[in-house]
Amino acid sequence: MMKRFALCFLMALLLVQGIWTGGAHAAGVFDDTQGHWAEQQIEELANLGIVKRNSKHAFYPNNPITRGEALALLNRVFETAYGSLEQPQRKNNLDHRYLLRGEVEQLLVNMKAIWQVETNALSSYDPGDRMLYYLYLAESGQLLKKQQKENPDWWLSSEAMQRPLSREEASLILFHVLAPQKFRTANLKPQDAVTYFNSFYEWKQDRFYRDTYSPYPLAIREFQLFLTEKTFSPERIMTRAEYAVVMKRLLDYYRTDISAQFRGTLVQQQKIAQLYLRSALFALEKNNQARLAAVFAPETLQTMATLPQVPKYNGPVTLTSKADSNDPKILWLIGHYLDPVNGDFQIEYKLEPDASSAFGRKIIAVLYSEK
């Protein structure tokens, strides 16, 4: 009798405990971030799918972030803002055994695609390739600085990608991810890009922080990702929580920048529109339902499926934009597509403001015509 009572009591206790545990998980994604100083940013990233949930309900906020994890999270932030822009390609300099290699390779092609749009594909510079090369230099115990003679056979091992990320290395990778924005704000010509970025690699740019001569922390200071004043602590290892906060700031910056470009000059509008359409058409080609819902209104998506010709995401196109004559908030994108087999055609995309879309716009109508 007593054993039966004890068993019933234990089952009741476990039931109550389960209810409280379930309530805790409903209130917060991770058990170990509740009350943490970075809890809000971590949960915001988790709700967007940038930070992945796990069965242990643990984020380990005070553990170091590794280089590979940092690059994977960086790609998830990028794709939350811009979407996927290109098919991933195998990077021979990156260890094929590394588990997060696919996300790193996706980041590299995304970086190259946005760089080519920003420079009209006139620059030979590749920010993703340079980013990995300078991580290789860091791994080989060298300063993140240009060598007199570059090693053409450089290679990043799986072990190297799993080492903790320092703050200086974080500034390096963010510098390269933000290369298109640096190019734009520096008002450069594409042919001057290599010289400009080499000036950073050769440490010919000004320093700002007292404890480092590295130019990368100062180079990204304008983006307000690290809120530090006089010292940068370049050798300090970043925790997962610290990096999550930086990623949330980067996402906020991307959203603000995208919105500003849509309100900017005609050239800026056409460049951000090109990225928008590239992301939308890539999602269409890959049948990425989540992304399609973010960029197309449902009825417009149905119309796209009935078009005689559907443009490729990276096909030849001449893109122009214009404001709607009746509503200045409406933007029209006119894509003239070249098809040597079936004949040229044109699609006019009608975009209206939409707060739910990362681009702040949604395609609500399309008009097709053959040229």
Side-chain angles (χ1 to χ4, degrees):
M1 186 73 178
M2 289 296 295
K3 288 183 179 180
R4 184 179 299 177
F5 175 81
L7 181 60
C8 293
F9 177 80
L10 179 60
M11 292 179 64
L13 180 62
L14 289 174
L15 178 61
V16 172
Q17 187 178 28
I19 293 172
W20 281 106
T21 303
H25 292 155
V29 177
F30 303 106
D31 290 343
D32 59 354
T33 61
Q34 295 179 32
H36 193 279
W37 62 269
E39 177 183 6
Q40 179 180 347
Q41 292 91 337
I42 293 169
E43 295 225 350
E44 287 182 26
L45 295 182
N47 291 332
L48 291 168
I50 296 170
V51 170
K52 304 299 184 183
R53 297 171 169 85
N54 57 58
S55 60
K56 294 183 179 179
H57 302 283
F59 180 74
Y60 309 107
N62 299 321
N63 284 7
I65 186 88
T66 67
R67 294 163 174 169
E69 288 171 336
L71 293 174
L73 286 176
L74 195 49
N75 185 59
R76 293 173 201 170
V77 168
F78 182 96
E79 293 197 343
T80 298
Y82 291 100
S84 297
L85 301 177
E86 184 60 84
Q87 291 272 16
Q89 297 175 0
R90 190 65 172 268
K91 181 69 174 174
N92 293 330
N93 308 85
L94 183 60
D95 194 336
H96 69 278
R97 298 168 298 177
Y98 183 56
L99 292 178
L100 295 177
R101 183 194 71 248
E103 290 191 83
V104 176
E105 290 172 340
Q106 183 67 63
L107 173 64
L108 298 179
V109 296
N110 283 335
M111 290 171 64
K112 188 170 185 177
I114 191 174
W115 173 259
Q116 289 178 337
V117 168
E118 188 62 47
T119 62
N120 297 314
L122 296 175
S123 172
S124 60
Y125 180 73
D126 186 339
D129 179 82
R130 295 295 81 192
M131 175 184 70
L132 280 195
Y133 178 69
Y134 282 89
L135 278 182
Y136 153 78
L137 290 185
E139 170 61 18
S140 58
Q142 303 174 68
L143 291 172
L144 303 182
K145 188 175 182 180
K146 187 177 182 179
Q147 298 171 310
Q148 290 183 346
K149 185 177 181 180
E150 183 168 327
N151 176 12
D153 300 318
W154 64 274
W155 190 68
L156 268 174
S157 67
S158 179
E159 292 78 12
M161 295 297 283
Q162 295 177 70
R163 298 197 201 284
L165 181 81
S166 71
R167 285 169 61 87
E168 182 178 20
E169 291 168 351
S171 70
L172 170 85
I173 64 175
L174 289 164
F175 167 76
H176 286 90
V177 166
L178 291 164
Q181 287 79 8
K182 293 291 295 183
F183 175 88
R184 189 198 317 150
T185 57
N187 198 25
L188 297 172
K189 296 179 180 178
Q191 59 266 31
D192 297 329
V194 174
T195 301
Y196 175 73
F197 285 95
N198 273 341
S199 70
F200 287 92
Y201 301 141
E202 295 166 355
W203 288 25
K204 292 182 178 179
Q205 293 285 339
D206 294 336
R207 61 177 291 191
F208 177 82
Y209 297 99
R210 295 174 180 175
D211 55 353
T212 180
Y213 286 96
S214 172
Y216 306 115
L218 175 58
I220 64 170
R221 183 177 169 81
E222 64 182 284
F223 304 106
Q224 295 293 298
L225 304 177
F226 292 85
L227 305 182
T228 53
E229 290 301 323
K230 298 179 180 179
T231 59
F232 190 75
S233 305
E235 296 180 1
R236 200 178 85 205
I237 298 301
M238 291 201 73
T239 68
R240 291 167 59 81
E242 289 171 337
Y243 193 77
V245 170
V246 171
M247 289 298 95
K248 178 59 172 59
R249 291 172 183 159
L250 177 63
L251 180 60
D252 291 343
Y253 166 76
Y254 274 150
R255 287 170 167 167
T256 301
D257 186 54
I258 289 169
S259 178
Q261 282 186 279
F262 268 120
R263 299 191 308 269
T265 65
L266 186 61
V267 172
Q268 290 176 330
Q269 285 185 12
Q270 289 177 358
K271 286 182 176 179
I272 193 62
Q274 189 173 343
L275 290 173
Y276 183 94
L277 287 182
R278 189 183 181 101
S279 172
L281 295 175
F282 188 76
L284 192 64
E285 185 172 310
K286 293 300 177 183
N287 196 27
N288 184 336
Q289 292 298 318
R291 193 67 191 179
L292 289 173
V295 292
F296 286 102
E299 58 275 14
T300 309
L301 197 55
Q302 293 175 2
T303 303
M304 289 293 294
T306 65
L307 296 182
Q309 298 182 77
V310 178
K312 294 184 178 296
Y313 71 94
N314 60 352
V317 58
T318 301
L319 193 68
T320 57
S321 62
K322 66 178 182 180
D324 189 270
S325 57
N326 298 318
D327 186 349
K329 294 181 180 180
I330 298 293
L331 180 67
W332 285 90
L333 305 179
I334 301 96
H336 180 197
Y337 297 92
L338 308 179
D339 191 326
V341 178
N342 300 310
D344 298 352
F345 62 99
Q346 179 174 290
I347 299 180
E348 298 180 53
Y349 305 87
K350 186 178 183 180
L351 277 67
E352 71 173 5
D354 189 302
S356 66
S357 169
F359 278 88
R361 301 268 178 166
K362 183 166 283 191
I363 302 173
I364 61 169
V366 290
L367 302 176
Y368 174 90
S369 60
E370 295 182 353
K371 305 299 288 184

